[in-house]
Amino acid sequence: MSKKNKSKADASSFFSCIEKNFDKAARYLSIKKGLLEQIKSCNAVYRIHFPVKIGKEIQVIEAYRVQHSHHKLPCKGGIRYSTKVNQDEVMTLAALMTYKCAIVDVPFGGSKGGIKIDPQIISVENIEKITRRYTSELIKKNFIGPGIDVPAPDYGTGEREMSWIFDTFLSLSPGEVDALACVTGKPVSQGGVRGRKEATGLGVFYGIRELCKMKEEMLSVGLDVGLNGKKVIVQGLGNVGYHAATFFHEAGAIIVALAEREGAIYNQEGLNVSNVILHLKKTGSILNFPESKNIEDTEKALELECDILIPAALENVIHKHNANRIKAKIIGEAANGPLTPEADEILEKKGVLIVPDIYLNAGGVTVSYFEWLKNLSHVRYGRMEKRFSENMNTELLQVVETCCRKKIPIEEKKMILRGPREIDLVRSGLEDTMINGFHKIRDLKKSLKIENLRTAAFVFAINKIIDSYEKLGIFP
Ligand code: GLU
């Protein structure tokens, strides 16, 4: 959260915001207070300070790894590099991971890491040094490992950092046959899975697309069913925002505004996302994109006329001071915690449909789960069945052609014959997860008459966690 946002947002801690949401959900459940306390609290907080030589100076780096819940192992969650990193933030993000995993049925506890640095002003060599040292600190305290805690990318990190983490872990764990599974979000050439990079953005797209198929919900906000022609604003053009915007654009939605740190751009007729990215790469900024209007104060972009608003950057960007000016009818929380509880209440009263982070941005960890499974099984998805499926399809088509006494055109044949590749399997697994997750939350909301999707998502997650404690025999 920027200094500006911090003063605008309410004074309560980020962690207490999540506790408020949790408590609202707990009212729908008859669960002992002690159990709820156990689920809510962070199981382990590791705070580190380590020295790194940068140039001629020694710099002391502040870093964290928080394991929110051990009800399932390993723990899972990204590592963020930002100057805003602090203990409260990492604890909250770790807690969100626990609920997220429960909702999309990914068998992990939640965790999160953070290093308080600005990767934009530090050289690549020094980022590597810091990442490797951080990893060895995690190893030292048993805070990383395929069955212990598995990091992944988050704000300010990506494939490059994950490959350094893997390499450091491997070199300090000789003979560890499952070492690849110590971290996800790796490059495909180093054990990553195809489709992980765009997974969070694609998951956001699948989730909102599903909501937009629901007549009842669309009627409640005065919109037609479907995504085609809907006006969308995306805040944040990082890995999540960029991919989400691209998928919305390809599905026929109109991207009316894109917002970044330096400002926002607006065009009522729609922006071509890939051209904006080319412009960004060329000029270093999205501003002055041809045929668009610059908006100097990037926060103002959130208040523009649109159907769907996708905050895909940092937490608390919508707060009690700007919530009343938000005109979107649907808000899809691609970022973690983009709305303060006050903003949430204001927008709910206005009738805005809010699709909560703990469901909507779970696509990343879902595909991380696929990557972890791939690493543990030591085999690429599709390797066993691709050729077999192709042979079966060939035989089937021959039977169809014989019966119909008609030849199927070669292009159509090729499409039908094709066996599944890794990317096809990953994407269909993700699509299925997001669609199922949406309906589970929506059905629960209806059956228990819960006020909104966020509370329903929390109710669903708490129930799921209680179930696994019961299975372990911990809470008879
Ligand atoms: N950082 C992502 C998140 O917040 C992904 C976590 C993961 O893949 O483990 O969901």
Side-chain angles (χ1 to χ4, degrees):
M1 186 177 18
S2 68
K3 253 191 195 150
K4 212 166 145 196
N5 269 350
K6 193 165 186 171
S7 58
K8 281 183 179 175
D10 54 300
S12 48
S13 74
F14 192 16
F15 196 75
S16 69
C17 296
I18 303 306
E19 286 190 309
K20 272 185 203 152
N21 292 327
F22 184 100
D23 293 342
K24 275 189 199 162
R27 288 181 316 194
Y28 289 89
L29 300 160
S30 49
I31 294 169
K32 286 192 191 105
K33 204 167 160 253
L35 303 190
L36 292 171
E37 282 304 315
Q38 164 59 26
I39 297 172
K40 252 203 282 190
S41 52
C42 278
N43 289 178
V45 179
Y46 182 28
R47 179 174 178 198
I48 332 158
H49 285 100
F50 54 82
V52 174
K53 196 160 180 222
I54 295 185
K56 285 187 180 135
E57 301 294 325
I58 302 274
Q59 212 169 303
V60 179
I61 307 290
E62 180 182 329
Y64 301 86
R65 185 74 187 171
V66 173
Q67 295 173 349
H68 172 258
S69 179
H70 292 155
H71 76 288
K72 287 210 184 239
L73 288 172
C75 293
K76 190 83 189 78
I79 299 177
R80 109 175 359 193
Y81 289 0
S82 146
T83 50
K84 317 274 161 32
V85 161
N86 61 69
Q87 187 171 322
D88 175 58
E89 183 190 57
V90 186
M91 282 169 64
T92 313
L93 296 171
L96 289 174
M97 286 309 301
T98 296
Y99 307 127
K100 212 183 281 189
C101 291
I103 289 168
V104 288
D105 204 13
V106 162
F108 299 140
S111 59
K112 202 78 169 199
I115 306 186
K116 197 180 167 88
I117 51 167
D118 183 352
Q120 291 194 328
I121 59 163
I122 301 182
S123 70
V124 176
E125 291 73 27
N126 286 325
I127 297 178
E128 176 171 359
K129 228 191 255 179
I130 293 168
T131 307
R132 288 185 181 278
R133 174 66 191 254
Y134 173 71
T135 309
S136 55
E137 294 290 335
L138 295 183
I139 296 171
K140 215 154 77 181
K141 285 275 189 272
N142 220 11
F143 259 69
I144 184 171
I148 299 167
D149 191 348
V150 181
D154 199 82
Y155 188 83
T157 58
E159 289 184 343
R160 183 185 66 180
E161 287 73 18
M162 302 309 116
S163 63
W164 290 330
I165 292 174
F166 163 60
D167 186 55
T168 310
F169 183 84
L170 184 67
S171 59
L172 294 174
S173 326
E176 165 63 272
V177 68
D178 289 327
L180 266 178
C182 78
V183 63
T184 61
K186 303 177 290 293
V188 174
S189 59
Q190 286 183 61
V193 74
R194 289 161 186 85
R196 173 63 186 85
K197 211 173 187 173
E198 67 274 28
T200 313
L202 183 55
V204 168
F205 167 77
Y206 285 145
I208 298 290
R209 187 189 66 182
E210 202 54 24
L211 170 73
C212 291
K213 281 184 185 165
M214 303 296 114
K215 266 192 191 150
E216 198 184 317
E217 279 84 344
M218 290 305 102
L219 207 66
S220 78
V221 288
L223 291 175
D224 290 335
V225 168
L227 276 180
N228 201 26
K230 289 220 165 34
K231 294 193 166 164
V232 178
I233 296 175
V234 179
Q235 186 228 14
L237 267 187
N239 184 44
V240 180
Y242 161 64
H243 283 111
T246 305
F247 289 116
F248 278 112
H249 178 68
E250 284 170 5
I254 304 166
I255 308 294
V256 289
L258 291 168
E260 259 293 336
R261 286 195 212 196
E262 68 274 15
I265 50 171
Y266 177 73
N267 181 348
Q268 212 181 327
E269 306 305 314
L271 298 159
N272 181 314
V273 182
S274 33
N275 287 348
V276 174
I277 296 298
L278 286 179
H279 173 81
L280 171 66
K281 283 192 180 141
K282 215 161 80 189
T283 66
S285 160
I286 60 168
L287 294 175
N288 305 317
F289 179 67
E291 288 166 41
S292 73
K293 215 176 112 200
N294 283 346
I295 298 166
E296 301 287 320
D297 183 357
T298 191
E299 287 184 25
K300 288 283 165 213
L302 299 167
E303 300 169 15
L304 295 168
E305 203 78 54
C306 71
D307 299 316
I308 305 171
L309 172 62
I310 307 286
L314 286 172
E315 55 265 22
N316 293 340
V317 291
I318 303 175
H319 39 77
K320 62 182 174 191
H321 301 289
N322 64 0
N324 260 318
R325 294 196 295 270
I326 301 288
K327 298 181 190 70
K329 299 179 179 89
I330 299 170
I331 298 181
E333 295 187 328
N336 289 311
L339 271 62
T340 65
E342 283 78 6
D344 211 9
E345 270 167 34
I346 295 170
L347 290 162
E348 210 201 320
K349 275 193 198 127
K350 280 175 65 170
V352 178
L353 282 176
I354 299 163
V355 188
D357 48 4
I358 52 170
Y359 155 68
L360 195 65
N361 68 32
V365 75
T366 301
V367 176
S368 273
Y369 171 46
F370 300 157
E371 180 175 334
W372 182 76
L373 291 174
K374 173 186 182 180
N375 295 154
L376 293 179
S377 65
H378 300 260
V379 63
R380 164 174 49 82
Y381 286 106
R383 178 166 177 182
M384 304 295 275
E385 63 267 48
K386 189 169 183 290
R387 183 61 55 135
F388 177 77
S389 299
E390 284 172 1
N391 292 342
M392 288 298 285
N393 293 344
T394 309
E395 279 178 36
L396 202 76
L397 277 193
Q398 272 162 6
V399 175
V400 171
E401 285 185 332
T402 315
C403 288
C404 302
R405 292 202 194 96
K406 211 177 154 196
K407 286 272 170 220
I408 297 167
I410 193 83
E411 281 312 309
E412 278 175 37
K413 222 172 175 174
K414 266 192 202 160
M415 204 179 69
I416 303 166
L417 287 180
R418 191 165 61 88
R421 299 163 302 167
E422 183 166 84
I423 183 77
D424 303 320
L425 294 167
V426 164
R427 286 206 174 169
S428 80
L430 174 62
E431 185 174 10
D432 190 54
T433 303
M434 294 309 293
I435 293 175
N436 277 337
F438 176 80
H439 288 286
K440 279 188 213 154
I441 299 168
R442 183 176 184 258
D443 292 349
L444 192 68
K445 175 180 177 288
K446 283 189 162 194
S447 66
L448 295 186
K449 297 193 172 46
I450 301 174
E451 64 267 28
N452 56 43
L453 283 174
R454 187 188 312 283
T455 308
F458 269 95
V459 173
F460 184 86
I462 298 169
N463 265 330
K464 195 79 192 284
I465 297 163
I466 291 282
D467 267 2
S468 40
Y469 272 125
E470 274 172 358
K471 274 187 199 124
L472 291 173
I474 300 175
F475 295 137

